[in-house]
Amino acid sequence: MSVIELADQVWNGAGDANGIAGFNVTGGGVHEVAEGVGWRPGFGNVIPLRDGGELALFDTGNPTDAAKLHADVRAWSDEPLTRAVYSHGHIDHVFGVGPFDAEADAAGRARPTVFAHESVVDRFRRYVLTNGYNAVINQRQFRQPGLTWPAEYRHPDVTYRDSLTVNHGGLTLELFHAKGETDDATVCWIPERKVVCTGDLFIWVAPNAGNPQKVQRYPVEWAYALRRMAALGAEVMLPSHGVPIFGADRIRQALTETAEWLESLIEQTLEMLNAGARLDEIVHTVRAPAHLADRPYLQPRYDEPEFIVRNLWRRYGGWYDGNPANLKPAPDATVAAAVAGLAGGPGKLADAATAAVAGGDLRLAGHLAEMAVLAAPGDVGVHRVHAEVFGTRAKAEESLMARGIFTWAATESRRIADPTG
């Protein structure tokens, strides 16, 4: 299957729109999608560019893939890599330069110049400061016990603040800063080829604008960036996750509808926030626009609308959620013990959680099961119920983030309930 055939299939909802389809293109490796413009699918796509006897990369892949990326790019071009651009500082985009640096050293030529937004440097510093935390949350999110987090990074050689033009042979790489999933994003517009490289500002799923375990996201600025890209008139769009989109009309539709989807959540949330509503009410009221629910690029398979609502609250309303009991709360375990005492013991709470699952109220079941284990952390029977409740919750969820957290909670209780496991 060609890249164009795959892209058409995904656009029409017949393919795997979350981007995994990109691994299944016949032949693998780098695929030329415009003159001198390649597309190399992976967990973090890489866009090789060749012109004037030189090679450049937009994004550079993840830590486990650097050697294979180097081999794939070299099968497509033997020209020296002189430039690379990080779309942002997430680790699945910044770890493929090493083999090219080593290649340059061995040949006695200058290493490639890496370009990025200035905030990428701050991100790398934060990753070093919070190395353990990032390992834990990514183990939980991706359900990979033992996953480690890098402590060393290939820093950019050249940084910019608002925009930067990089000439590469006869190609012009017009870089401009945007905020969205991150505060350090770079978009690359190549006018000679009418190609736009979006990084993670478009990823073939609903925007990752609310991740519950990560730092601030920027939905308002993200919508602006999408509309800015839509106005470029691109004929090929190359996201850093998922398949390309070909055709100006499709590109414009995908970008403007994603902006509209975000803007709807923003407007609803801010209207309720400005009216004095509590976070709890807003989370359970705001809904994504129904007329866009069938779009393959707006499915909540990674993030989801209620998480974006919470992120908007954090951005504009602070951490206080409007419930005075939560301003200076008692410890969770103290509250759980009190409720368990009123209910007749932790076992009664666990029974109520099981009944809530049977009645289809998985959200309530989660509260009851969690209070039961907090009130009786060594009770094997309570942990069995906790594992069942959150295992059931995980199966009912579409977003990877919710599934990851609920599965992790279930797994922790199973270890206690059955340590020989």
Side-chain angles (χ1 to χ4, degrees), residues 91-177:
I91 66 169
D92 49 333
H93 300 264
V94 299
F95 267 91
V97 181
F100 293 97
D101 279 344
E103 180 183 78
D105 291 346
R109 62 172 183 262
R111 290 183 170 188
T113 300
V114 176
F115 300 85
H117 185 260
E118 61 186 9
S119 293
V120 165
V121 176
D122 294 331
R123 174 178 300 278
F124 290 166
R125 290 174 182 148
R126 175 166 59 81
Y127 280 169
V128 172
L129 288 172
T130 59
N131 182 272
Y133 175 72
N134 277 289
V136 168
I137 61 176
N138 281 279
Q139 288 173 26
R140 188 185 297 135
Q141 179 169 303
F142 296 106
R143 289 171 280 170
Q144 294 185 18
L147 182 148
T148 59
W149 196 254
E152 296 183 2
Y153 299 87
R154 170 58 155 92
H155 281 245
D157 304 294
V158 177
T159 62
Y160 75 97
R161 178 161 296 174
D162 298 315
S163 62
L164 179 68
T165 298
V166 178
N167 295 312
H168 179 70
L171 299 179
T172 308
L173 311 186
E174 295 184 4
L175 311 180
F176 63 85
H177 175 233

Side-chain angles (χ1 to χ4, degrees), residues 358-381:
D361 195 339
L362 298 185
R363 291 183 184 243
L364 176 60
H367 286 291
L368 296 168
E370 183 68 11
M371 282 194 287
V373 298
L374 287 172
D379 189 311
V380 169

Side-chain angles (χ1 to χ4, degrees), residues 100-295:
F100 293 97
D101 279 344
E103 180 183 78
D105 291 346
R109 62 172 183 262
R111 290 183 170 188
T113 300
V114 176
F115 300 85
H117 185 260
E118 61 186 9
S119 293
V120 165
V121 176
D122 294 331
R123 174 178 300 278
F124 290 166
R125 290 174 182 148
R126 175 166 59 81
Y127 280 169
V128 172
L129 288 172
T130 59
N131 182 272
Y133 175 72
N134 277 289
V136 168
I137 61 176
N138 281 279
Q139 288 173 26
R140 188 185 297 135
Q141 179 169 303
F142 296 106
R143 289 171 280 170
Q144 294 185 18
L147 182 148
T148 59
W149 196 254
E152 296 183 2
Y153 299 87
R154 170 58 155 92
H155 281 245
D157 304 294
V158 177
T159 62
Y160 75 97
R161 178 161 296 174
D162 298 315
S163 62
L164 179 68
T165 298
V166 178
N167 295 312
H168 179 70
L171 299 179
T172 308
L173 311 186
E174 295 184 4
L175 311 180
F176 63 85
H177 175 233
K179 287 184 175 182
E181 182 184 53
T182 67
D183 62 356
D184 58 356
T186 290
V187 174
C188 179
W189 166 236
I190 309 170
E192 295 85 0
R193 300 291 183 264
K194 294 191 178 300
V195 169
V196 63
C197 303
T198 69
D200 280 4
L201 291 162
F202 184 89
I203 56 174
W204 275 105
V205 289
N208 179 17
N211 190 318
Q213 301 182 100
K214 303 294 178 66
V215 297
Q216 183 70 54
R217 269 59 171 134
Y218 302 90
V220 174
E221 294 88 341
W222 197 331
Y224 172 80
L226 290 163
R227 292 198 180 277
R228 183 177 179 181
M229 288 188 289
L232 293 172
E235 295 178 0
V236 179
M237 184 165 80
L238 301 175
S240 289
H241 293 282
V243 298
I245 297 180
F246 297 94
D249 290 343
R250 285 185 175 181
I251 292 168
R252 190 178 305 108
Q253 177 184 330
L255 293 173
T256 57
E257 288 188 342
T258 303
E260 179 186 353
W261 190 92
L262 276 173
E263 288 160 354
S264 176
L265 297 179
I266 294 163
E267 290 166 8
Q268 293 176 69
T269 301
L270 290 180
E271 181 179 4
M272 295 187 72
L273 184 149
N274 285 322
R278 290 185 179 189
L279 175 59
D280 176 73
E281 181 184 359
I282 299 175
V283 164
H284 291 98
T285 301
V286 172
R287 294 290 180 269
H291 70 283
L292 298 177
D294 66 342
R295 301 299 194 263

